[in-house]
Amino acid sequence: MMRLSKLSLWGLLLLLASVGSYASVPRTQPNWYAPKGYFTSLATKLSTSKRSGRTVSIVQIGDSHIQAGHTTAPLRQKLQSTYGNAGRGWVGWYRLLGSNAPDNYKVTSAGLLWQRQTLLKDEGSLPMGVGGYVVGSSKVGAFSISVSSALSPFNKMHVLRTASSYPLTSFPVSQLHKGTFSVGAYVVDTLSWSSLHTEVSLRPDRRDGDEAVYAGCVLFSGQGGALVHDIGINGTAYKHYAREDYIEQLALLEPELLIISLGTNDSYSHAFSMGEFQQNLSQMIEYVQAALPRTKILLTTPPPSYFRRAVVSYTRRGKKKRSHRSVKMSYSFNDNARRLSAEIMRYAEAHAIAAFDLFSAMGGESGMSRWISEGLIASDRVHYSVSGYERQGRLLADALLMALK
């Protein structure tokens, strides 16, 4: 009898798991799974947060579907209207990376050329930050950073910096508490004001520190309630987030619930490997449970997407029969997203964590004709319109609020 090597045995187990993952799993609620009582403690904390003045932190991380902020916005609005508004939450300094950002806040900088790293392109010279990026400069002259949030006034701000970086002071003048808590290379400074503000200017306090390396900030309203953070990096997949040094940074946001919304970039390849995806998913969850043992986890499946291919044709026109080139886009449904979504739901049940099947809630492949006809999906058939992302966000928010009742 031939013996299987450890490597081939592992491959066989992955194959069997992946085959089983495509079968439908019966659930008490359509497109939703959570172990019985899984959200009881979270529901209790949220229901008493406004009265007690407690902040309940909820973090949603993901890819380009999350970075622009449109998907998370309905979740923030519904949770805060129900349980209290603790503030805007995480503010990513994406503009300093030369990337897109949510339109309900603005971050600008003057005086420095920033070195930039993200989870997608990490050269390792700077420690990775909780937002999936870091900005820094080794040659530091005078500089300022402006943070504005017109729709969400704030009277307290957390600023994340490396322990050797300059603390940031502000105008209007604030009370500064340096390094109130830390994780890894980063410490959190707290700036607080006696009244609400919609814009502040940050400048370095050169009496302490010798570099400028920062990872973003968090805005608080000074009231109890839900604090909903949206963290996304364009192009990322599970393999980019599945790193111990990054997951540890999430503790700086003190999440009671971590929503992981990934999968599009994992599945968007004709060479998609279910075994590789399973390893990345499992590794990431293991890191989360080790670093954040009290945090509830909610996985969401990716929305439907299409592969796109340019079809080039040539025709001869006119008396001189000149060749005319035309390009037409051809689309084919990305069935890998369906397979990956089924695996996420299977994994959640097998490991007793929560999951929302966004792929099925949107109608899967059969439902896409309606989304396309209503202009809810972008021309690349991978990304969605603002209204499309907002509809996805409402689907998730409604499912979570029902589970919290």
Side-chain angles (χ1 to χ4, degrees):
M1 179 176 176
M2 183 174 65
R3 284 185 165 180
L4 287 172
S5 68
K6 288 184 178 180
L7 183 61
S8 61
L9 179 58
W10 173 242
L12 177 61
L13 291 172
L14 285 177
L15 176 62
L16 291 173
S18 66
V19 171
S21 71
Y22 307 147
S24 62
V25 181
R27 301 177 186 94
T28 55
Q29 295 183 38
N31 312 315
W32 177 267
Y33 171 76
K36 185 177 181 180
Y38 190 71
F39 287 109
T40 300
S41 62
L42 177 62
T44 300
K45 291 174 183 177
L46 282 167
S47 64
T48 60
S49 60
K50 186 174 183 179
R51 182 174 65 254
S52 66
R54 173 190 171 95
T55 295
V56 179
S57 178
I58 295 169
V59 180
Q60 183 172 22
I61 64 175
D63 47 31
S64 58
H65 298 316
I66 303 301
Q67 181 171 325
H70 304 303
T71 304
T72 308
L75 180 67
R76 179 181 294 107
Q77 188 276 323
K78 288 181 180 253
L79 285 174
Q80 291 185 337
S81 64
T82 303
Y83 299 109
N85 183 349
R88 173 55 181 81
W90 175 256
V91 167
W93 295 2
Y94 298 116
R95 294 295 187 188
L96 305 192
L97 307 174
S99 190
N100 63 304
D103 57 11
N104 54 11
Y105 63 75
K106 187 176 181 181
V107 179
T108 59
S109 173
L112 277 187
L113 291 176
W114 295 99
Q115 179 185 349
R116 304 173 288 269
Q117 290 177 202
T118 70
L119 285 170
L120 198 63
K121 295 181 179 179
D122 184 9
E123 292 81 13
S125 59
L126 298 173
M128 186 51 58
V130 67
Y133 70 87
V134 56
V135 295
S137 178
S138 56
K139 297 180 180 180
V140 183
F143 71 91
S144 64
I145 298 171
S146 174
V147 178
S148 62
S149 176
L151 299 179
S152 299
F154 53 93
N155 63 8
K156 186 172 76 170
M157 173 190 290
H158 283 169
V159 179
L160 282 65
R161 63 175 173 90
T162 57
S164 55
S165 290
Y166 300 113
L168 298 176
T169 59
S170 73
F171 182 82
V173 177
S174 63
Q175 185 175 6
L176 171 64
H177 298 283
K178 297 179 182 178
T180 49
F181 55 97
S182 64
V183 174
Y186 285 92
V187 299
V188 176
D189 294 332
T190 301
L191 301 171
S192 57
W193 298 266
S194 58
S195 59
L196 290 170
H197 295 278
T198 58
E199 183 173 6
V200 297
S201 179
L202 306 174
R203 291 177 173 82
D205 180 354
R206 292 183 175 277
R207 294 170 297 178
D208 189 11
D210 58 11
E211 64 177 4
V213 179
Y214 304 98
C217 62
V218 183
L219 304 182
F220 300 84
S221 68
Q223 302 175 6
L227 191 69
V228 181
H229 313 277
D230 43 355
I231 293 174
I233 296 294
N234 296 338
T236 49
Y238 269 93
K239 66 180 180 181
H240 298 107
Y241 282 95
R243 44 186 285 182
E244 193 171 15
D245 64 332
Y246 170 74
I247 297 299
E248 287 176 345
Q249 295 298 317
L250 289 172
L252 294 168
L253 299 180
E254 303 178 300
E256 303 280 354
L257 171 64
L258 176 63
I259 304 171
I260 302 175
S261 300
L262 292 162
T264 292
N265 295 301
D266 301 79
S267 67
Y268 202 76
S269 170
H270 290 291
F272 169 69
S273 166
M274 181 62 74
E276 182 180 344
F277 170 74
Q278 289 170 323
Q279 291 182 57
N280 292 330
L281 169 62
S282 179
Q283 184 68 83
M284 183 173 179
I285 300 305
E286 287 176 14
Y287 285 147
V288 170
Q289 292 178 329
L292 305 166
R294 295 182 179 85
T295 300
K296 300 300 181 184
I297 300 171
L298 171 59
L299 304 177
T300 73
T301 66
S305 60
Y306 293 79
F307 292 114
R308 183 173 62 162
R309 183 172 65 91
V311 179
V312 181
S313 61
Y314 295 89
T315 57
R316 293 190 177 276
R317 296 180 182 175
K319 293 181 179 180
K320 295 185 179 181
K321 300 295 183 181
R322 289 176 178 172
S323 180
H324 176 76
R325 181 177 182 267
S326 62
V327 179
K328 184 177 181 180
M329 302 309 299
S330 172
Y331 300 93
S332 60
F333 190 74
N334 177 16
D335 195 57
N336 295 333
R338 177 191 62 80
R339 296 169 58 206
L340 183 149
S341 296
E343 172 58 20
I344 287 176
M345 299 305 293
R346 184 206 66 81
Y347 181 93
E349 289 205 57
H351 294 82
I353 58 178
F356 173 63
D357 193 351
L358 175 63
F359 181 92
S360 296
M362 291 176 59
E365 181 177 8
S366 62
M368 280 299 95
S369 58
R370 179 168 54 86
W371 285 71
I372 293 170
S373 67
E374 293 180 21
L376 299 176
I377 188 168
S379 60
D380 64 2
R381 304 285 172 91
V382 176
H383 298 91
Y384 287 75
S385 66
V386 172
S387 297
Y389 281 130
E390 289 174 343
R391 183 178 293 186
Q392 291 175 18
R394 288 193 295 272
L395 290 170
L396 171 60
D398 291 344
L400 178 58
L401 282 167
M402 184 178 295
L404 291 170
K405 289 181 179 179

